[in-house]
Amino acid sequence: MTVRPTVALSLLVVVLGAFASAQSDTDDGNYRFQTRPPLPDASVMPTLANGNIGFVAYGEYVHLNGVYNGLRGKSHRARIPNYGNIQLTACSPSSPGGVASTCTYQLNMRTGKFVTVEETGDYRLVHEMYPHRYYDTVLVNRIRIQRLGSTNTITARLSQIPGLQAADFTWQPSTEFVMWGQLYKSQCGVTVQVEEPTVQAFGHNVCVTYPAIPETVQIEPDTMAREFLFFTAFTMTEEDGRRQLEVVTGLTGAQEETLHMREMDRLWERYGISVERNDELDRVIKASAFYLFSSLPAHQVAASSGRYPFYGLAPAGLGRGGIEEQEYQGHSFWDTEIWMYPSILLMDPINAAKVLSYRTTVIGGARMNAMKHGFEGIQFPWESAFTGTEVTPDCCPEVADFQHHITADIVFAARQYFYATGNTDWLKSHGCRLAADSSLFWLSRASYNNATDLYDIHNAMGPDEDHPNVSNNAFTNVMAAHNLFFGEFASCYCRDQTVNETVRRELLQVARGLTLLYDAEGDFHPQFEGYQPGTPIKQADTVLLIYPLQHPMNVSTKANNLRQYSQVTRENGPAMTWAIHTIGHLELGEVQQAATMFDKSYRQYLRAPFNVWSENGNNEPGAGNFITGAGGFLQSLINGYAGVRLHQDRLEIKNARLPPDTRSLHLPTVEYRGVLFALTVNETRIKVAIRVEGQPDLKLTVDGTERRICKDCEYEGTTAIIQQTKDQIFEGCRLRPTTLGVKVADQTDAAPALRTTALAFLSLIVCSLLSKMF
């Protein structure tokens, strides 16, 4: 029997007008990826998300921000049956009769929609599926029937294919209600297992509210076109679902789409990096930006009484991670702060703050983690989910035991946020506690070496996971020093009573005294104590000192670090390694080597037909929608080819170059201290086009000449610097430069601490001698 929905039906003029509008928004074909049947494996299907709900196109389950099920290492994104998985039966991969040859599938990144089209000489069926960007608890299905040659009734058969009610929830009996003449059902449940019983007392409540889907929709011979809209809400309570659907179903189709596209436009205004004369590369850039920002919230969303705060970014995004030990289970790693976050920070500091807020939301779990391991302060776990406690699976204990650099990685991201925004309100409310307490962790983690008069960090693992339990990993020690210096500054600025003046002096002493290994003969930094040149490594580790750490060193040392480790890095290592090598070669002026690494950083990791990132290269299996790789790739454009570098007191643009085989590189938005500008790189020059003037006490120099920072001003040159003009002293507190390898005896402003250390050491010797004498 055919059922005709009475809600959200549009007349021909509305349908065609909306369809034409959508098409005009997407004239640039580089935003669209299209294929014909059969659809590829689910591992390379695109992810659709809006920061609150996420799913794989045509996937049977939805994931909800912050909702996990499973104890400790079994914690994973809870699988919620996707009652919004509506498909045109003729084009459905599960169609009993097979997929019709008249079907096509398209990912429209400009609109954030997955579009299925069945077209014959008689009719065109267009099905759009998308998570709404403004009503971010809602998944939308829009089906348009348009008459072409037929004069008969046109019928489209629909399939609704939710996943089984997986073991992640205990489900209650469903309820029904009628709204706007449409029958709705509501299915509510609670997750079965909490993540950490000492922290989490209750499971997560989830309700799916969805319309009863008719078997068919149709138009009569006297109708040229009609549109059918179906909304599915994913909320914490049934009342929230009803309330949200009452609002959205009361809108016209045009109103609903306008609100969605407003937020999509805002995202593309910031993330829409583009190149000219290289469509293939432009499509890679757009796909990378789309998959990255899809897991971020919109800047403006509809009010909701039940929504978790933003719960961070996982390597495979929000739409994946529902199966144990696959696609990282939706956990957050160092990937967030080191690989995804830097591009977000410079294009979208609003969402950068939300990424950081996840870590401060779960800081209690990090405090528990430090206590469990006998350390002071806070120690962030290697894998984090809902509670902030350690959720690394039992398969991989060594990463949880030794990869402690993640704590410093997180604080490094916070430090960069302060550089980029100067937000002292955030520093007082969130940053000080994060920086101060994490510095106490490193204070208890470092040990004094009498032989060298320096501090060592033992039992560590750097990013190279092939070498656990090493001492003085270069990346870890430099990161720890950054953390200690920032902790000293933050605790001073916020007048911390725990990290008082005495403790702050100790923080400075340890930070400056941390060991940074250096091989004078080879003029390079060994990755760890005992590292032998030629030893294979998994991925970028010591080369990260060049970027993002920007550690001061001779040009020859940078070159030797890069060459030393590029020769021994796994060919099948993760994508972001080659992005870092790209940036390193560009800094050294080695343009051809950079181009080779740049090509290597993306080509082997993208999967047709939707340019989905994969974790591993050369078609080896790995996590799908690997936005860690996308983030690294975007950094190679922003911080590599565009030459953008963030420092404590300035933003620099220098040594900008065009990516291979392009005529221009355009960044629509770079934001620094409130100054919004577009940056265009041409063959010999850059152009800075200012849209918002930003904070006072800034000056702009282009090729060494000072220029006004004014709305709609444009300047061309080869270098540009936005410099802070005020001395960087905040209420008597200064963030000191990160320097390592300074012996305690040479630290003049740490003399009292040194005397205490020396006297203690002398007393120890005396006591030892006396004990042998008697």
Side-chain angles (χ1 to χ4, degrees):
M1 182 179 71
T2 300
V3 179
R4 301 181 193 173
T6 58
V7 63
L9 303 184
S10 303
L11 297 177
L12 171 63
V13 65
V14 175
V15 175
L16 295 183
F19 185 72
S21 174
Q23 292 301 300
S24 66
D25 283 340
T26 56
D27 285 342
D28 186 347
N30 290 349
Y31 286 98
R32 300 193 298 274
F33 294 84
Q34 187 163 302
T35 190
R36 288 190 171 274
L39 281 169
D41 183 81
S43 64
V44 295
M45 283 289 284
T47 294
L48 301 171
N50 62 10
N52 191 50
I53 59 176
F55 57 96
V56 175
Y58 276 17
E60 297 179 351
Y61 294 100
V62 163
H63 298 133
L64 194 59
N65 168 58
V67 177
Y68 294 84
N69 181 63
L71 182 66
R72 300 187 181 99
K74 295 185 180 297
S75 175
H76 57 275
R77 292 201 192 278
R79 291 161 293 173
I80 305 166
N82 185 5
Y83 289 97
N85 184 27
I86 301 169
Q87 302 173 15
L88 298 177
T89 302
C91 301
S92 172
S94 58
S95 175
V99 178
S101 61
T102 52
C103 294
T104 59
Y105 310 93
Q106 182 186 101
L107 172 65
N108 188 327
M109 297 182 300
R110 181 66 187 82
T111 61
K113 301 176 180 180
F114 191 78
V115 185
T116 302
V117 179
E118 183 196 4
E119 183 168 348
T120 70
D122 293 331
Y123 60 84
R124 178 188 296 123
L125 302 178
V126 180
H127 171 217
E128 298 179 340
M129 175 191 298
Y130 55 99
H132 203 278
R133 266 281 159 190
Y134 178 71
Y135 296 106
D136 66 345
T137 63
V138 174
L139 192 163
V140 181
N141 282 273
R142 173 183 278 104
I143 297 166
R144 301 184 185 102
I145 305 178
Q146 183 177 344
R147 185 179 304 279
L148 297 179
S150 173
T151 58
N152 301 319
T153 298
I154 300 173
T155 302
R157 187 169 296 277
L158 305 181
S159 300
Q160 184 182 37
I161 312 176
L164 298 175
Q165 292 187 350
D168 290 341
F169 290 90
T170 299
W171 295 101
Q172 302 168 2
S174 62
T175 60
E176 297 182 351
F177 63 94
V178 176
M179 182 188 298
W180 300 89
Q182 169 72 52
L183 176 65
Y184 284 88
K185 296 183 179 182
S186 187
Q187 184 76 59
C188 297
V190 61
T191 50
V192 174
Q193 178 66 63
V194 297
E195 182 176 285
E196 175 50 65
T198 59
V199 176
Q200 183 184 0
F202 306 101
H204 302 276
N205 293 303
V206 167
C207 286
V208 187
T209 308
Y210 57 97
I213 303 301
E215 293 181 2
T216 61
V217 290
Q218 67 182 38
I219 58 174
E220 304 295 343
D222 61 349
T223 304
M224 289 297 295
R226 180 159 285 171
E227 182 178 84
F228 303 81
L229 276 167
F230 303 102
F231 301 108
T232 305
F234 297 85
T235 54
M236 291 185 180
T237 68
E238 182 177 347
E239 292 75 17
D240 286 345
R242 288 194 188 196
R243 191 180 306 112
Q244 188 76 97
L245 289 179
E246 185 174 15
V247 172
V248 75
T249 54
L251 302 172
T252 66
Q255 288 172 328
E256 168 268 311
E257 188 160 36
T258 296
L259 289 167
H260 170 75
M261 284 306 303
R262 181 190 67 187
E263 299 307 320
M264 288 299 300
D265 288 344
R266 286 174 174 172
L267 285 165
W268 281 116
E269 283 171 4
R270 289 180 175 268
Y271 292 88
I273 302 171
S274 61
V275 294
E276 289 187 40
R277 282 193 178 171
N278 190 334
D279 282 349
E280 179 190 13
L281 178 58
D282 194 59
R283 288 164 69 79
V284 174
I285 295 169
K286 286 177 169 54
S288 301
F290 174 76
Y291 291 125
L292 177 62
F293 77 57
S294 288
S295 289
L296 293 169
H299 285 192
Q300 185 177 353
V301 296
S304 171
S305 57
R307 181 191 289 115
Y308 286 114
F310 181 62
Y311 257 76
L313 293 167
L318 179 55
R320 298 175 184 265
I323 302 176
E324 292 177 19
E325 297 191 15
Q326 291 187 29
E327 296 183 314
Y328 297 106
Q329 301 179 190
H331 297 169
S332 290
F333 295 71
W334 78 308
D335 303 46
T336 302
E337 283 79 16
I338 300 302
W339 299 109
M340 307 176 210
Y341 174 86
S343 299
I344 298 168
L345 174 61
L346 288 176
M347 293 189 290
D348 185 7
I350 292 174
N351 270 321
K354 292 178 182 177
V355 171
L356 287 178
S357 71
Y358 164 64
R359 299 298 190 176
T360 54
T361 296
V362 299
I363 201 168
R367 198 174 305 282
M368 177 189 296
N369 200 41
M371 293 175 61
K372 177 182 176 182
H373 294 109
F375 298 123
E376 299 295 323
I378 56 173
Q379 178 192 0
F380 285 98
W382 180 242
E383 297 189 29
S384 176
F386 180 68
T387 62
T389 57
E390 184 65 75
V391 290
T392 297
D394 294 340
C395 67
C396 317
E398 66 281 355
V399 291
D401 290 343
F402 301 118
Q403 280 210 83
H404 297 172
H405 64 80
I406 186 169
T407 296
D409 300 341
I410 291 165
V411 179
F412 184 75
R415 180 173 171 149
Q416 297 293 100
Y417 178 78
F418 184 64
Y419 285 1
T421 66
N423 189 339
T424 54
D425 290 338
W426 166 86
L427 188 62
K428 289 178 178 177
S429 62
H430 293 89
C432 282
R433 189 80 275 135
L434 176 69
D437 288 357
S438 57
S439 66
L440 291 178
F441 165 72
W442 290 110
L443 198 61
S444 63
R445 188 70 177 76
S447 58
Y448 179 70
N449 186 329
N450 289 319
T452 62
D453 195 27
L454 296 171
Y455 287 89
D456 298 333
I457 296 178
H458 302 293
N459 310 118
M461 177 195 283
D464 170 23
E465 294 175 340
D466 289 348
H467 294 94
N469 199 12
V470 301
S471 294
N472 292 324
N473 169 256
F475 175 81
T476 300
N477 284 22
V478 175
M479 266 296 188
H482 276 297
N483 195 158
L484 287 160
F485 279 112
F486 192 53
E488 189 275 335
F489 162 72
S491 57
C492 173
Y493 177 71
C494 290
R495 303 297 187 260
D496 193 286
Q497 297 302 307
T498 301
V499 186
N500 55 33
E501 184 177 356
T502 301
V503 178
R504 290 200 300 271
R505 296 184 71 169
E506 193 175 356
L507 295 179
L508 290 177
Q509 177 178 293
V510 174
R512 291 174 177 142
L514 281 172
T515 299
L516 179 58
L517 299 171
Y518 175 69
D519 184 313
E521 183 178 350
D523 187 21
F524 78 103
H525 293 291
Q527 185 172 293
F528 52 83
E529 279 188 7
Y531 177 81
Q532 297 298 315
T535 303
I537 64 173
K538 177 183 178 181
Q539 64 186 68
D541 191 314
T542 304
V543 296
L544 294 165
L545 269 62
I546 302 172
Y547 174 87
L549 296 185
Q550 301 186 88
H551 187 72
M553 66 183 88
N554 293 330
V555 172
S556 61
T557 310
K558 291 180 184 179
N560 289 329
N561 280 347
L562 197 57
R563 295 190 181 98
Q564 178 81 240
Y565 295 106
S566 65
Q567 295 170 4
V568 296
T569 303
R570 281 195 210 168
E571 281 297 315
N572 66 344
M576 58 277 190
T577 282
W578 314 120
I580 291 300
H581 285 226
T582 301
I583 296 171
H585 283 299
L586 287 170
E587 182 157 320
L588 294 168
E590 299 171 347
V591 178
Q592 188 54 54
Q593 294 95 319
T596 300
M597 289 295 109
F598 183 65
D599 187 79
K600 193 174 182 178
S601 75
Y602 71 87
R603 196 175 297 280
Q604 61 178 319
Y605 299 96
L606 292 173
R607 300 291 181 263
F610 301 110
N611 264 18
V612 172
W613 278 83
S614 178
E615 179 182 16
N616 295 326
N618 301 321
N619 287 317
E620 295 181 15
N625 193 50
F626 192 59
I627 56 176
T628 302
F633 169 75
L634 292 174
Q635 286 186 69
S636 72
L637 289 163
I638 298 168
N639 308 106
Y641 282 103
V644 179
R645 293 299 176 88
L646 181 62
H647 299 276
Q648 180 176 339
D649 62 347
R650 67 195 184 280
L651 183 81
E652 291 185 344
I653 305 164
K654 62 180 183 179
N655 299 324
R657 298 178 177 85
L658 285 176
D661 304 317
T662 62
R663 184 173 65 182
S664 71
L665 166 63
H666 181 67
L667 279 59
T669 298
V670 179
E671 184 168 349
Y672 175 72
R673 301 272 175 155
V675 179
L676 268 69
F677 63 93
L679 174 63
T680 303
V681 180
N682 294 311
E683 187 172 355
T684 60
R685 302 176 73 76
I686 63 171
K687 181 172 76 172
V688 174
I690 300 170
R691 301 204 312 268
V692 178
E693 295 178 7
Q695 299 173 9
D697 305 316
L698 296 173
K699 72 174 182 179
L700 168 66
T701 57
V702 179
D703 289 348
T705 301
E706 187 168 345
R707 302 289 190 180
R708 288 181 59 217
I709 300 177
C710 49
K711 188 177 185 297
D712 298 327
C713 290
E714 295 186 0
Y715 305 105
E716 291 192 3
T718 57
T719 64
I721 301 173
I722 303 178
Q723 178 86 42
Q724 296 168 46
T725 58
K726 277 190 174 180
D727 194 357
Q728 294 300 289
I729 298 177
F730 299 83
E731 298 184 12
C733 303
R734 180 188 293 275
L735 177 54
R736 302 161 197 259
T738 300
T739 56
L740 281 77
V742 182
K743 292 184 177 183
V744 174
D746 297 331
Q747 296 184 30
T748 55
D749 60 349
L754 170 60
R755 285 196 295 271
T756 303
T757 303
L759 287 171
F761 181 57
L762 181 59
S763 298
L764 182 65
I765 294 174
V766 171
C767 290
S768 177
L769 290 172
L770 289 173
S771 67
K772 292 178 181 179
M773 291 174 63
F774 297 96

